[in-house]
Amino acid sequence: LHQAPKGPYAHVEGWYVKPEYRRQGVGRELMSQVEQWCLHRSIRTLTSDTDSKYPLSPAAHARSGFRPLHELTIFIRELE
């Protein structure tokens, strides 16, 4: 996996394209607009995240030029 970002960065939280609009470039255009917004503000790193509830998301991220940074496991313990 890769090194964490340094300096200013932007984070995309929850991008979604309705099924009937997928594979038409809508997500790509959305990410292009986010990228332009970042570059206009001298932000050179863009992050996003997903989890196993969204099985199409890793491929969509990869097609948009994202690469994995870190995998996260969250633990829980119920206390009595």
Side-chain angles (χ1 to χ4, degrees):
L1 297 176
H2 301 278
Q3 190 173 14
K6 291 184 169 90
Y9 67 94
H11 182 78
V12 175
E13 182 64 41
W15 57 295
Y16 177 81
V17 176
K18 288 184 174 184
E20 62 267 27
Y21 298 108
R22 292 178 187 162
R23 308 302 265 178
Q24 299 177 36
V26 174
R28 184 177 302 115
E29 180 60 26
L30 177 62
M31 288 296 105
S32 176
Q33 292 297 317
V34 171
E35 182 179 327
Q36 291 306 308
W37 184 91
C38 291
L39 292 173
H40 183 70
R41 289 158 180 79
S42 299
I43 297 170
R44 309 277 307 166
T45 303
L46 181 60
T47 65
S48 183
D49 60 77
T50 190
D51 61 41
S52 61
K53 291 187 289 189
Y54 307 101
L56 300 176
S57 189
H61 278 82
R63 284 191 304 275
S64 294
F66 287 94
R67 63 184 188 273
L69 174 65
H70 183 73
E71 291 185 36
L72 175 66
T73 301
I74 299 173
F75 294 89
I76 186 170
R77 178 180 170 198
E78 301 295 333
L79 304 176
E80 297 182 21

